[in-house]
Structures are given as structure tokens and as C-alpha cells.
Amino acid sequence: SSAERIGAVNTIVQNENGILKGYNTDFYGAKKALEKAEIKGKRVLMLGAGGVAKAVGLAVKELGGILTIVNRTYDRAKNLSNMLNASVISWEQVKNSSAHLLINATSVGMKNSDAMIVKDEIIKNFDIVMDVVIYPAETKLLKIAKEIGKEVIPGTLMCVYQAAEQFKIYTGFDAPEKVIKSTLRAFDK
């Protein structure tokens, strides 16, 4: 299961026999959010190597993306790259990097909405920019990416798909598509 591969559980259910089963819905949410980016065979640079980055990185690999990981602590990036069979670069190399997709899989931009994981001029080296931060819904990173004409994948998209998967796990039913779409529209405002 994805929870075993990631080594983290965020959703637990108990069956009739009292057996607990764990899931990682971050992986599912990331995979759904990334599907439209068509990353198969394309280069992806992911910033971060924490818990959410593991799930996002696994989703990138499952969708056929060519993943490179960077983290301020090089050893953490190296460990995650070994786990995911991905490449790793040092933080200093980010300024010279380019790829189809840039992913911020850190919390930078959440506590301080003026903070941004990379400098403005780096964003131009990517076609699509994804941010896992869900509040604010439009981080400074996404706002600047949009302003220079880049496609963006907001963290809210991943979050809504993750919640839909949790709904399915808990109830056995797919979350109504109408509810998913109206929730996503509410974030667009």
C-alpha cells in the first residue's frame, strides 16, 4: 500500500473484526492533483524532503515523472531520493535548474504569506508550479507564477482530492463529484 511505501499513515479505519488499517491519502490527493500536468517522461524538481514530500514524490514517480529532490538539509534529500529512486541536487543548484514542473513540498509560504521558497527569477525556468501549502489558497509562489503566465497546481486541489479519498475510505462511497467541484470552485474565489 502507499502507506507502507511512504512509511506514514494519516487515515485509520477499523473493520468488523477490530483490525485497524492505515492509509496515506496525501499520496492519492497528490496523484489526482498532478494527473493533468502530464508529467510522464518529464523532469520534475521537488523542494522538500519531509512527510508530505514523500507522498508527493511517490505520486510523481507513479505518474512517470523524472524526479529530482532538493532540500536545505542535503542528507534528508539524499535519503528520500534513495527511497524513491530519484536524483538529488544541492540547494545551491536550484538557481540553475529548469524542469517541466516545480513543486514546493515544504511549508514555506504558510506561516508567512510573504515568504517564498525560491526567488522570482527561478520560476521562469518551469512550465508548471505546484505548492502543497493550503493556506493561503494562493501562496506568493503561485501568485507570481500565474503573473508570469505559468500553469499552477494549488495545494487546495491536492487537499480536496485527499478529503474525497478519506470520504471513500470511511463510507465506502465515492465523494459526489458535484461536491468536489463546488469545493474547488469555492477556493478559486
Side-chain angles (χ1 to χ4, degrees):
S1 77
S2 59
E4 288 171 321
R5 286 182 289 171
I6 295 163
V9 166
N10 68 355
T11 304
I12 300 172
V13 289
Q14 185 173 341
N15 71 11
E16 299 80 32
N17 303 321
I19 295 167
L20 299 176
K21 186 160 184 193
Y23 300 86
N24 189 304
T25 57
D26 282 339
F27 163 76
Y28 178 84
K31 195 170 174 187
K32 286 288 287 180
L34 284 165
E35 278 175 356
K36 289 187 179 123
E38 297 178 1
I39 60 174
K40 188 172 184 172
K42 294 181 181 163
R43 291 183 309 121
V44 176
L45 179 64
M46 181 172 72
L47 311 172
V52 173
K54 283 183 186 175
V56 174
L58 183 60
V60 167
K61 293 296 287 187
E62 288 230 341
L63 291 168
I66 302 162
L67 181 63
T68 299
I69 300 166
V70 64
N71 193 62
R72 290 193 195 276
T73 309
Y74 183 82
D75 287 348
R76 286 191 76 181
K78 186 72 183 139
N79 291 342
L80 184 55
S81 72
N82 290 339
M83 181 185 143
L84 295 174
N85 191 22
S87 301
V88 64
I89 61 170
S90 69
W91 195 260
E92 293 72 39
Q93 291 173 284
V94 171
K95 62 182 176 290
N96 303 319
S97 297
S98 63
H100 177 62
L101 173 64
L102 172 70
I103 302 173
N104 174 33
T106 76
S107 61
V108 174
M110 182 168 60
K111 291 183 183 119
N112 177 357
S113 59
D114 278 339
M116 200 162 67
I117 192 79
V118 292
K119 294 193 183 318
D120 299 27
E121 61 268 17
I122 291 169
I123 299 168
K124 71 180 185 320
N125 299 331
F126 300 87
D127 302 322
I128 305 172
V129 177
M130 176 180 182
D131 201 334
V132 301
V133 172
I134 59 170
Y135 185 81
E138 185 178 68
T139 59
K140 185 176 180 183
L141 176 67
L142 295 181
K143 184 176 187 292
I144 289 173
K146 266 188 194 173
E147 283 171 3
I148 61 170
K150 302 298 177 181
E151 192 179 321
V152 299
I153 303 171
T156 50
L157 186 62
M158 177 176 155
C159 184
V160 169
Y161 283 128
Q162 178 212 15
E165 182 65 4
Q166 285 179 326
F167 180 87
K168 185 176 182 176
I169 290 165
Y170 289 136
T171 67
F173 299 103
D174 287 330
E177 195 64 36
K178 199 164 92 177
V179 173
I180 294 170
K181 285 185 174 151
S182 68
T183 305
L184 290 170
R185 274 196 305 274
F187 280 113
D188 280 341
K189 291 184 169 95

